[in-house]
Amino acid sequence: MRPIQMVDLKRQYTNIKSAVDSAIQEVLDSAAFINGPAVTNLAQGLASYTGSKHVIPCANGTDALQIAMMALDLQPGDEVITPSFTFVATTEVVALLKLKPVFVEVDPKTFCIDPAAIEKAITPKTKAIVPVHLYGQAAPMEAILDIARRHNLYVIEDNAQAIGGTYTFSNGDTKKTGTMGHIGTTSFFPSKNLGCYGDGGAIFTDDDTLANRLKMIANHGQSKRYYHDIVGCNSRLDSMQAAVLNVKLQHLDQYTAARRAAADFYDNAFKAHPKITTPYRASYSHHVFHQYTLLLEGVDRNGLNEFLASKSIPSMIYYPVPGHKQQMFAAFGGADYHLETTDWLTERVISLPMHTELDDEQLNYISSNVLEYINKN
Ligand SMILES: *Cc1c(COP(=O)(O)O)cnc(C)c1O
């Protein structure tokens, strides 16, 4: 059996090596390292893949969130509602921009932000909601967009974990995740569903005015070279990363299918086990399984993690500390929050290896070892 990793980037590369190598060679030959044709091609490719009118590549997914918030012209102290159960980047940029993060609960089934909790957290200072399509599952966008419309709030979708996923509205319309809010953001960090070989990110919007501002902010606030109208930053995706992404974008749907097939295998192996809840698949969401995350009941999670490690099976806790309990947000009243569902999930989740190259032999080995530990302990 091949060794098992959380994410097997080496084998994925081996399978597309000639296309990737020649795409990189092309950039080397052209010496167009910044803003070369590969970057323009990627923006166009992502626009047609997602149906988003504008795509602005940038340096990473955290920058994408920061630039999105800068473009909305929020004022210090304005409140931004985010789930507490997410990667820190979602909330970190809120604090960095001197805005106030407001942590809310997630749904215990979908792990995504709970619309009822958003509604309760709204104050006259609330300006934006940042739903996260966590682990590859679409957040309940119809309810979120409805709340935003009623309260005149911006919606920024953090789509770092769900590129290629979709959301289906009650009228049957289906849209790609990251294209429903005012702005969507994503990350091309190597382990993401569409990952490059370094850092990368992108911003999505259908709004022409916002697109223009986003582009300017990502490039020192300039409209014309050396004419800087607004305060921006330097956040570029380099041409070599774009070249890699242009190749991988052609495979994204096939990669998603491989992830979903691995998830099906796991689901079947853990089906109806009294101590294991397999990932919920909301009917409105085409889940792209950035992570395959189990919810354990009455299981010593550290014991399982150590047992699996002794069998050369990695497993991870995403995330061991929720936002409202992070030291960095203490000044925002972290200790005053009581987010029971978030705390409950934080203590019970465990993510198993999930990537595009898992075979049945590996999946069988992983799931039988998980079951062996849980059934004995
Ligand atoms: C990875 C990730 C980010 C940040 O992306 P980087 O490219 O690493 O900056 C933001 N939000 C979520 C939910 C993520 O998973």
Side-chain angles (χ1 to χ4, degrees), residues 216-259:
M216 284 169 69
I217 292 168
N219 188 21
H220 298 298
Q222 70 183 12
S223 50
K224 206 164 82 180
R225 202 164 204 187
Y226 304 126
Y227 290 80
H228 306 273
D229 303 345
I230 50 179
V231 173
C233 56
N234 170 16
S235 187
R236 292 184 285 241
L237 178 74
D238 70 67
S239 305
M240 277 200 233
Q241 300 307 336
V244 171
L245 290 165
N246 283 327
V247 173
K248 289 182 69 172
L249 180 57
Q250 309 306 315
H251 297 273
L252 181 56
D253 285 342
Q254 172 207 325
Y255 289 159
T256 299
R259 288 173 178 277

Side-chain angles (χ1 to χ4, degrees), residues 60-62 65 86-87 89-90 132 158 160-161 187 189 192 200 319:
N60 57 68
T62 309
L65 285 159
T86 179
F87 180 58
T90 317
V132 180
D158 182 347
Q161 300 191 359
S187 163
F189 186 77
K192 301 284 157 106
Y319 297 91

Side-chain angles (χ1 to χ4, degrees), residues 77-99:
D78 282 351
E79 293 176 7
V80 177
I81 295 177
T82 78
S84 180
F85 194 63
T86 179
F87 180 58
V88 71
T90 317
T91 323
E92 186 182 29
V93 297
V94 177
L96 186 72
L97 295 173
K98 304 270 182 258
L99 308 168

Side-chain angles (χ1 to χ4, degrees), residues 345-371:
L345 288 176
T346 302
E347 284 160 22
R348 284 169 180 77
V349 289
I350 190 164
S351 299
L352 299 181
M354 171 51 76
H355 56 78
T356 59
E357 316 299 317
L358 284 163
D359 62 30
D360 283 4
E361 189 188 7
Q362 293 173 308
L363 288 162
N364 187 43
Y365 178 77
I366 298 164
S367 45
S368 34
N369 276 295
V370 169
L371 288 169

